[in-house]
Amino acid sequence: QLQASGGGLVQAGGSLRLSCAASGRTFSSGAMGWFRRAPGKEREFVSTIRWRDSHKSYANSVKGRFTISGDNAKNGVYLQMNILGPEDTAVYYCAATGPGTYNSGYYLNGDNYIYWGQGTQVTVSS
């Protein structure tokens, strides 16, 4: 139900824009976000947007470089990634929670997301 795209190979300092499109339903409540998994590492939170008030959260490692946005129909999210570095190399996954609105901390935990996309590879060369 979630389809991520936009990954690729980019040089350090470059930019990419990831897209995540939902099909089959509209995620009108809860949140949608991005997580990533680098080789040999655990999955980590990147960014999320809470639909009720468009509150956005970012991992400290991407603050100031990445920007999350959602489309007006609340059936997709985007992740604009600027000033990419080799440390950003990972498979990026978009995800969506179920209905309901919770405090912002709730959405930092990947275990609270029910729907997951297939992932898109981002590789940053130094």
Side-chain angles (χ1 to χ4, degrees):
Q1 289 183 323
L2 297 177
Q3 181 72 34
S5 61
L9 173 63
V10 65
Q11 289 188 332
S15 299
L16 283 173
R17 179 178 171 84
L18 304 184
S19 299
C20 176
S23 61
R25 63 168 291 169
T26 297
F27 297 91
S28 58
S29 64
M32 289 185 72
W34 292 93
F35 292 77
R36 67 187 181 186
R37 186 190 298 272
K41 295 187 177 181
E42 296 292 316
R43 181 185 67 196
E44 67 171 344
F45 165 78
V46 176
S47 182
T48 187
I49 181 168
R50 185 172 62 192
W51 291 128
R52 184 193 69 182
D53 55 3
S54 297
H55 178 79
K56 303 173 183 179
S57 298
Y58 297 93
N60 288 334
S61 59
V62 307
K63 278 181 181 177
R65 300 188 298 122
F66 291 12
T67 302
I68 191 170
S69 59
D71 67 20
N72 292 334
K74 297 180 180 177
N75 61 356
V77 288
Y78 307 96
L79 187 68
Q80 177 66 42
M81 306 186 296
N82 298 327
I83 318 175
L84 285 162
E87 67 276 11
D88 297 313
T89 294
V91 178
Y92 284 69
Y93 299 90
C94 65
T97 67
T101 300
Y102 302 90
N103 64 53
S104 59
Y106 177 90
Y107 300 111
L108 308 186
N109 186 345
D111 292 342
N112 294 326
Y113 288 74
I114 298 175
Y115 306 97
W116 290 85
Q118 84 290 0
T120 184
Q121 176 70 47
V122 171
T123 302
V124 184
S125 63
S126 57

